[in-house]
Amino acid sequence: MIKDINFYLAGYALKSLLRDKSKNIFIFIVFSLLVALLASTFFLSASMRAEYHQLIKNYPDIVLTNQRAMQDIPYNTDVVNRVLNLSGVSSTVGRVYGKYAFSQAETVFTLLGIDAFENYANPLLNKLNKKYSLDDNAMLVSSSVATILKQNYYKEYFNFIKEDGSRQKVQIADTFYTPKSSADANLIVMPNELVRKIFGFKKSEFTDIAIMVQNREEIGFIAGKLQEEFPNAKITLKEDLLREYENIYNFRSGFFLTVFVIAFFTFFIIIYDKLSGPNSAQKREIGILKAIGWRVEDILKAKLYEGILISLSAYIFGIILALIYVYIFKAPYLKAIFLNNYTLLSDYRLVFHIDIQTVVLLFFVSVPLYIAATIIPSWRVATLDADEVMR
Amino acid sequence: MITLKNVVKQYGNSLALDSVSLKLEEGELVVLKGVSGSGKSTILSLIAGLLKPTSGEVVVDGKKISKLPDHFAALYRRDNIGFIFQKYNLIADLSVKENVLLPLVPMNLPREELESLLEKTLSSLNIKAKEKSLVKNLSGGEQQRVAIARALVNNPKIIIADEPTANLDEKLSLEFIEMLRAMKSKNRTIIVATHDPLFFNLDFVDRVIEVQKAKILSCL
Ligand SMILES: Nc1ncnc2c1ncn2[C@@H]1O[C@H](COP(=O)(O)OP(=O)(O)O)[C@@H](O)[C@H]1O
Ligand SMILES: [Mg+2]
């Protein structure tokens, strides 16, 4: 293979590229940036998909909500235990949360209770739970909640108005970041007990019950049994819970942006090169080469080397840029586009997950296309009569 | 060695060569003379296989050049023809060395062989010192030498020169004639197309052939 490479020809090709330096540098930059953009998109979506699979592993298979007159009401601990005793159920967690209206600012906060022993479906909660140990009278607020509170002169604590009209003072222990547009923007996290106090739940009450089953195949069956056992309950299955996520992941993560970028990429590079083709000096050079004994295939080989040198190096450079951007710098901006509407994850872990298939695909939609666009116009010139240069 | 038989060349409706027949022996130096537009360059292109005749044939060393497909015509040029163009046709942004080696590039020869061919050619033309200079920075006379070096580097049996002194002053023209004499002494077949009178009375020129209005007039 190496022996087949004509290094003189490759040297000539490199010289040709350097002679048209500014244009080729421009192409190189555009080419690598587009590869980088595409590859970043792919890497990011692959990582998020991997993350997503992590996420749904922890998600409850079934959520049971108590209702009266089709309004949600709390459950008692004994129900949690009764559910746990059903065959096929592997674990149950009583969850405590609710909405709190802060009328002064005309907004609604989501109060989420945590408890050190829970295995949270929500990775943000999981993280917070690991990072902070909250005492009975403290809470973590999201950055936008912190802003709202500050605007209303609550810098260190907040007075919740409890169900019975009395006040509950809670210290702000810390702030965590969530984008303004996210569904978690107005999230407040505090111990279960505190949430109960504010909403007037009894000590033994839960907002709903998260259920894990032993065998996923049995979800439908167990759901049926639960409905029999608790005729008032509203039963939500994992797939219903995840539908929202699915939409974000499948729609945002990629398809749109990717297709757009691929189209732009191919369009730009090809049109640019097609339109300019060989200029008159390059045409003359092709004529000279033919006149001094280069075959058409020699000329095309030189062009092939030119195409390979520029597109392959730009491709590799672009992939490296994307790896650095996504996995070292954690994909600023691009991540925001992806997670625009809904994120529980302010700092996504971005597990290193490279989908070789997409890297290969990216190669095949870019490099050969560019090489073809380099060769074809020269081929048209090279097959013309060479005696033009005689004049 | 080189035979043109009833060669007709038409460009569209205009007749560039009207049934030209010509025979050149090996080692012969022939000067094609004639005014501009008479058809000299066309004859050279046909011999070099750069053009195909409209009718008639061109035979070199028993090979029908006029029938060769493009691919083989290029190989034929590579192995047999050294072409010195009127406008030099060098690549201005490449160095002397790179220009001279250009005909050999597709052959992928071993480095030592390439270097020795280069060395020999450059020294014989006295431009070794300028090896690394870019062609665009050379004087007209130096560019002419580079063009000759490029024509000679593949050791061609046939050397073709089209108006080689058209862009040179008298002193450089005389220098070229001396280089031509040296080429002739190596028993190469040489064809020079020119309307420069300097070539018409040279002792080492075998024949001066006049081309006029697409026809060969006289074979002196
Ligand atoms: N590619 C071409 N297309 C049309 N006419 C041409 C072409 N090449 C040469 N000719 C015409 O053929 C004639 C001979 O040209 P040429 O061989 O270049 O003559 P010379 O070299 O003696 O000046 C001229 O009339 C020229 O205009
Ligand atoms: Mg001419």
Side-chain angles (χ1 to χ4, degrees), chain A residues 390-391, chain B residues 35-42 44 86 162-163 193 195:
Chain A
M390 308 286 296
R391 268 146 254 287
Chain B
V35 294
S36 173
S38 55
K40 304 183 296 297
S41 296
T42 304
L44 299 185
Q86 174 177 354
D162 195 6
E163 312 272 8
H195 56 259

Side-chain angles (χ1 to χ4, degrees), chain A residues 30 34-35 37-38 42 254-272 362 365-366 369:
Chain A
V30 171
L34 287 170
V35 168
L37 182 57
L38 264 180
F42 283 137
F255 190 64
F256 216 84
L257 195 59
T258 306
V259 168
F260 171 74
V261 174
I262 286 182
F264 176 71
F265 169 85
T266 41
F267 177 78
F268 189 89
I269 298 276
I270 288 173
I271 295 303
Y272 184 87
L362 200 51
V365 298
S366 61
L369 231 50

Side-chain angles (χ1 to χ4, degrees), chain A residues 84-117:
Chain A
L84 188 57
N85 288 334
L86 283 178
S87 63
V89 171
S90 68
S91 72
T92 52
V93 174
R95 304 190 298 188
V96 186
Y97 61 88
K99 301 265 186 207
Y100 179 89
F102 182 32
S103 46
Q104 204 177 322
E106 292 179 342
T107 189
V108 174
F109 298 144
T110 301
L111 270 53
L112 249 172
I114 59 173
D115 154 1
F117 307 108

